[in-house]
Amino acid sequence: MRLLVRLLGGMSLAVIVVTAAFSYLEVQEERTRLEQDLQRRAVLAADAVREAAEPLVARSARTGYERVLSRFGRRDRGVAIYDEFASVIAATPDVKAHLGPLSPLVTEAIRDNVTVRRFARVGGRTVWTHIVPLERDDRIIGAAATFLDADYLDTREWDLWRRTAVRLGVLILLLTAITWLLVRWTVTRPIARMAEWTKRLKFGEPVAPPPDADASLFGPLAGEVTGLARSLARARVAAEEEARLRLLGEQIWTEERLKQFVHMRFGTHPIFVVSNREPLSHVFEGKRIAELRPASGLVSALEPIMTACGGVWVAHGSGDADRAAGDRVGLPPSDPTYTLRRVWLDAEEEAGYYYGFSNEGLWPLCHIVHERPQFRAGDWEHYRAVNQRFADVLLEEMEKAEAPIVLIQDYHFALLPRMIKQARPDARVALFWHIPWPNVEAFGICPWPEEILLGMLGADLVGFHTQIHCNNFLETVERMIEGRVEWDDFTAVRGQHTTHVLPFPISIAVEEDLDDRVPHRDALLAELGTTADFLGVGVERLDYTKGLPERLRAIRRFFERWPEYRGRVVFVQIASPSRSRIERYQRLQREVRETIRKINEELGDRDWRPIVYRERHHDHREIAAYYRSADFCMVTALHDGMNLVAKEFIAARDRDSGVLILSRFTGAARELREALLVNPYDIEDTAGAIKRAVEMSREEQRERMARMRSQVREHNVYRWAALLLAELGRMPRSASAIRD
Ligand code: F6P
């Protein structure tokens, strides 16, 4: 209410000042106009009187004046005729009795031979006096005066002011009414709704935020309140989940538990994550900047940890609108808890470090998929330089942090641990290698093995998904560089520095409350323009390690061997384009498209296509709809460090049914034993698994899925992070830097 009063007070004052100023000018203008009109009339009348009276006065006539007076005198115009001594010869009756005080004016006109004009008071009224001298033969013989009533000037002025006041009153009334309505609609009501919403949230009701109030007015406030509400809701869900698990006596790792653990273990020391792929890219959609969550298992795994623990995530700014969005961004956007620090690379650096050495060299080197690695000295130089660039940015970020915790991700940064440890011996550095590590013979073809291994051994802890990759790595170290490998405790020792090499199978964050807004199966099938008794799904980046051509061959084989399923089974393949500048990836894309086209052409008919192919980036919710609607999911990677799609499929199911067909060459196959494990190179084996999947009884599906669900729930990404951080926390803080 006080706001309204102040607002209206201010506005009314402004209206009064402006209206009064303009009205004053208007009144002055009108008055000048009226005065000019009065004077013009006075001139005309005085001249006429002068002409009529001059001959009479000149010859000192005794009569004839009455005629002049009656001719020119009127109710609003008095006339007087004077002789040369300023004595009244004749005057109209209305002024006659009041002429005394005007004598000095008449004397002035006669004496100075000038016309005298001014306002004067005559008989209690304001009059305009106009006195002209009378002449004969260049001699002043008297004067003629006219007195025009000027009282109406004041009356007209007051009328104008009165009208202004009425106008002002109406304006203020109108303004008050409109402002009151506007304030009520756009301010008071939304605020009241927000207050009500916050109150209900406080009591734990899961209410949706009120519909957006005027964003330009309430944007920041609404954003803050929404963020606060989300934090509250998250904290509440976490606390409820904790309480539930405590009651059940379960020891499942949750976001909240991880947060407390990190706080207890490392105090307020921030965590620094480094990865090539950023957790969120900004991209231009026309002129608008949109946010894009990349298709990356690494991002799915680390995002919840950073959200829980806070800190700084250093990554390559690869979105085309990233620079416009800034090199430091608070994430998640709705409720920031950590900072993304972007590192900029030019096209040449990206080509050498990312496309070249990382993805044409190390990627095929580490995956046993019979793809020949390409090693170019120029790429290697870029790889080194970019590792140094990330080291510089990271060191700058952790300048003020004491004993920082550094979690380096993946094969893009083999050299980074050593660079960091050399500059900051107090830092505790872990390197997690998200892809497999090959055996020593395979690794031996890399032209720079020593530098890579020494770079990695700069870390206090090197993690892989499986023990077998740890063993391969330690064996490579043992055979290729100087130093000692302790097989009892899985360490590599060089000089004063020890590196622990341990398995940490990565996972995902399992949501207990599944998003019920994702489209249901019927809606999804309708959108795909198909019907199906059985729906299969595959979700991956378009990468030759994922075994897509093999999977497609297996699907074709399935329909050939069991034609009764034609028209009844539909397989949806979601493929997110990846590393498309590399020729091998382009070739794969062509091969996949062509194979699908042929299968659909040869096996499909007018009403049914065996394979629906969706080649574009899909967001989390879109993918969740496929996972949830499918009867089976195929993960047939030829070689994979872990493969989080397998775990995501299990976590997304809202009922204990559905079948996972999983390549035995993935890290996930070691944990998800209830999946139908296949050798993706064996087409008959995989085709048979599809048949088993569609024919599996509900009961068997439920049993298998229930076991896999509890495996994924218990071995979630919070547990992965906790184990890795606990291990890192156990490492002694080195006092001296690693020497060359
Ligand atoms: O899982 C291995 C990995 O390289 C991750 O590090 C990465 O998130 C994912 O594959 C996607 O690759 P890219 O970041 O090259 O698109």
Side-chain angles (χ1 to χ4, degrees):
M1 198 61 190
R2 261 161 66 181
L3 167 81
L4 192 63
V5 170
R6 270 192 225 143
L7 201 67
L8 285 172
M11 274 175 15
S12 304
L13 191 66
V15 169
I16 291 172
V17 169
V18 172
T19 315
F22 280 103
S23 299
Y24 175 77
L25 292 176
E26 201 186 329
V27 167
Q28 290 309 308
E29 228 172 77
E30 179 65 2
R31 185 159 184 126
T32 312
R33 192 184 64 74
L34 289 174
E35 280 182 11
Q36 282 169 352
D37 177 62
L38 184 71
Q39 288 167 20
R40 193 178 44 75
R41 281 191 290 117
V43 170
L44 292 175
D47 283 352
V49 173
R50 180 164 51 78
E51 259 177 45
E54 223 163 32
L56 296 175
V57 178
R59 64 171 194 273
S60 304
R62 290 189 182 272
T63 59
Y65 296 107
E66 284 313 314
R67 210 163 5 95
V68 176
L69 296 183
S70 65
R71 190 162 150 214
F72 298 109
R74 284 198 329 228
R75 210 163 50 80
D76 60 342
R77 184 167 68 198
V79 176
I81 303 164
Y82 295 87
D83 64 14
E84 62 187 307
F85 307 108
S87 303
V88 179
I89 302 173
T92 48
D94 50 334
V95 293
K96 195 165 188 176
H98 312 288
L99 291 178
L102 300 176
S103 300
L105 303 182
V106 180
T107 311
E108 185 189 333
I110 294 171
R111 186 187 63 223
D112 300 339
N113 187 16
V114 290
T115 303
V116 173
R117 291 168 294 195
R118 68 196 58 166
F119 286 105
R121 296 287 293 167
V122 173
R125 298 180 68 80
T126 306
V127 294
W128 175 253
T129 311
H130 190 103
I131 308 167
V132 289
L134 302 177
E135 276 182 58
R136 173 52 59 103
D137 302 333
D138 293 337
R139 195 172 68 81
I140 304 301
I141 56 170
T146 50
F147 309 99
L148 266 61
D149 185 18
D151 252 5
Y152 75 96
L153 291 183
D154 291 339
T155 318
R156 292 285 282 274
E157 193 171 321
W158 276 115
D159 272 357
L160 274 176
W161 279 118
R162 206 171 309 118
R163 248 184 285 148
T164 302
V166 172
R167 234 187 287 157
L168 205 63
V170 173
L171 198 65
I172 288 175
L173 262 176
L174 213 66
L175 265 177
T176 308
I178 293 174
T179 313
W180 185 77
L181 285 175
L182 281 178
V183 166
R184 217 179 132 66
W185 274 331
T186 57
V187 183
T188 324
R189 241 171 38 176
I191 286 186
R193 275 210 219 128
M194 262 191 226
E196 177 60 22
W197 172 54
T198 347
K199 199 157 87 196
R200 290 175 69 187
L201 281 174
K202 205 169 69 188
F203 291 113
E205 288 180 47
V207 269
D212 266 0
D214 179 357
S216 61
L217 191 64
F218 285 104
L221 179 65
E224 283 303 313
V225 175
T226 311
L228 197 69
R230 283 213 185 96
S231 304
L232 267 174
R234 270 223 329 262
R236 188 174 310 108
V237 169
E240 279 168 8
E241 179 64 3
E242 277 295 308
R244 196 180 66 80
L245 294 174
R246 257 198 306 277
L247 277 177
L248 292 173
E250 287 193 51
Q251 283 304 302
I252 288 182
W253 280 91
T254 59
E255 179 185 336
E256 186 56 30
R257 203 171 145 202
L258 177 68
K259 205 189 296 183
Q260 282 172 14
F261 168 76
V262 169
H263 192 69
M264 255 168 47
R265 199 61 178 246
F266 301 106
T268 49
H269 299 296
I271 294 180
F272 296 88
V273 164
V274 187
S275 73
N276 171 69
R277 186 61 61 203
E278 56 183 344
L280 186 112
S281 298
H282 287 101
V283 289
F284 281 116
E285 275 178 5
K287 282 189 182 154
R288 205 177 72 86
I289 295 184
E291 291 164 352
L292 186 92
R293 199 159 177 263
S296 155
L298 180 156
V299 168
S300 322
L302 283 163
E303 239 272 313
I305 294 162
M306 288 305 276
T307 305
C309 305
V312 180
W313 186 331
V314 179
H316 171 211
S318 54
D320 61 2
D322 276 357
R323 279 181 201 265
D327 63 356
R328 298 179 75 83
V329 180
L331 291 180
S334 56
D335 180 17
T337 53
Y338 71 94
T339 305
L340 163 65
R341 167 71 202 268
R342 285 173 168 146
V343 177
W344 309 115
L345 302 178
D346 64 31
E348 206 183 317
E349 287 168 330
E350 197 185 358
Y353 138 83
Y354 173 74
Y355 288 106
F357 193 74
S358 297
N359 286 318
E360 288 192 287
L362 289 179
W363 181 264
L365 179 77
C366 291
H367 289 92
I368 308 169
V369 292
H370 314 287
E371 180 65 29
R372 191 175 279 196
Q374 308 289 324
F375 289 114
R376 292 176 284 259
D379 291 349
W380 170 239
E381 280 317 314
H382 279 303
Y383 185 83
R384 275 165 136 178
V386 171
N387 269 245
Q388 189 59 57
R389 172 89 52 81
F390 271 77
D392 295 343
V393 172
L394 184 59
L395 289 169
E396 181 192 314
E397 283 295 323
M398 25 187 244
E399 208 176 339
K400 295 205 176 77
E402 196 203 325
I405 304 141
V406 182
L407 304 179
I408 299 171
Q409 307 302 315
D410 237 345
Y411 58 99
H412 310 90
F413 299 113
L415 307 180
L416 192 56
R418 186 179 175 83
M419 291 171 175
I420 296 300
K421 210 57 185 179
Q422 276 182 332
R424 288 292 301 265
D426 64 324
R428 273 180 278 211
V429 179
L431 167 67
F432 193 80
W433 198 263
H434 289 255
I435 60 176
W437 188 270
N439 62 41
V440 61
E441 286 78 19
F443 185 74
I445 65 171
C446 173
W448 304 280
E450 203 169 312
E451 206 171 328
I452 288 176
L453 292 173
L454 289 180
M456 293 172 74
L457 290 178
D460 299 296
L461 176 63
V462 174
F464 294 95
H465 292 300
T466 63
Q467 185 63 52
I468 194 152
H469 298 147
C470 297
N471 295 350
N472 282 350
F473 178 73
L474 281 172
E475 211 182 315
T476 312
V477 170
E478 194 168 46
R479 298 257 300 269
M480 292 196 138
I481 55 172
E482 260 180 54
R484 207 174 66 241
V485 168
E486 298 284 0
W487 286 98
D488 287 346
D489 55 0
F490 294 98
T491 53
V493 185
R494 271 184 51 87
Q496 297 298 307
H497 186 69
T498 302
T499 304
H500 295 250
V501 180
L502 294 169
F504 299 95
I506 204 166
S507 192
I508 54 167
V510 177
E511 290 167 32
E512 289 301 327
D513 293 320
L514 293 176
D515 187 347
D516 50 14
R517 287 167 300 174
V518 299
H520 289 280
R521 182 182 167 118
D522 291 344
L524 197 70
L525 288 172
E527 192 197 312
L528 296 173
T530 188
T531 54
D533 292 343
F534 301 99
L535 186 67
V537 69
V539 178
E540 30 261 316
R541 287 184 304 106
L542 256 176
D543 192 297
Y544 54 83
T545 60
K546 303 295 180 187
L548 274 166
E550 289 76 5
R551 178 184 312 170
L552 297 172
R553 282 202 280 283
I555 293 171
R556 165 192 273 276
R557 189 69 191 123
F558 162 74
F559 287 117
E560 283 168 357
R561 282 175 65 185
W562 296 285
E564 65 272 26
Y565 283 110
R566 293 186 188 185
R568 296 186 63 203
V569 175
V570 170
F571 189 78
V572 181
Q573 179 62 53
I574 308 259
S576 171
S578 174
R579 306 172 190 168
S580 341
R581 272 195 242 164
I582 299 174
E583 205 276 324
R584 177 66 184 91
Y585 283 75
Q586 294 166 6
R587 219 171 347 118
L588 172 77
Q589 187 183 44
R590 286 196 295 273
E591 185 186 352
V592 168
R593 287 179 183 175
E594 187 52 21
T595 313
I596 292 174
R597 194 191 59 73
K598 273 201 191 136
I599 295 177
N600 281 344
E601 196 176 281
E602 287 166 26
L603 299 183
D605 54 36
R606 241 187 30 195
D607 305 319
W608 171 74
R609 274 176 305 160
I611 300 173
V612 176
Y613 185 50
R614 288 281 181 273
E615 190 192 283
R616 68 165 170 85
H617 180 82
H618 286 67
D619 67 28
H620 187 64
R621 198 182 287 171
E622 286 177 297
I623 294 176
Y626 286 104
Y627 283 152
R628 217 174 286 173
S629 302
D631 296 291
F632 63 98
C633 174
M634 292 186 81
V635 175
T636 53
L638 304 180
H639 196 196
D640 215 333
M642 171 53 67
N643 196 296
L644 292 181
V645 167
K647 295 187 175 181
E648 278 168 1
F649 169 67
I650 290 163
R653 305 294 295 179
D654 51 0
R655 53 213 143 94
D656 279 343
S657 65
V659 182
L660 174 66
I661 298 173
L662 179 61
S663 157
R664 56 179 74 249
F665 306 132
T666 60
R670 291 173 188 274
E671 296 175 69
L672 304 173
R673 310 303 297 179
E674 282 73 24
L676 298 183
L677 297 183
V678 294
N679 170 359
Y681 292 94
D682 183 344
I683 304 303
E684 298 297 330
D685 183 28
T686 312
I690 299 175
K691 177 157 187 289
R692 267 192 80 190
V694 294
E695 290 182 355
M696 190 182 284
S697 70
R698 286 272 150 187
E699 203 186 325
E700 187 179 347
Q701 288 187 25
R702 261 193 297 277
E703 263 173 35
R704 285 171 180 266
M705 189 53 84
R707 257 181 271 156
M708 290 194 286
R709 267 184 81 81
S710 55
Q711 161 71 26
V712 175
R713 246 180 95 233
E714 283 162 27
H715 295 79
N716 60 25
V717 75
Y718 300 115
R719 179 176 182 271
W720 172 82
L723 295 183
L724 193 132
L725 287 166
E727 202 55 51
L728 193 59
R730 265 197 285 279
M731 320 256 142
R733 276 162 63 176
S734 358
S736 53
I738 293 180
R739 282 182 228 295
D740 285 324

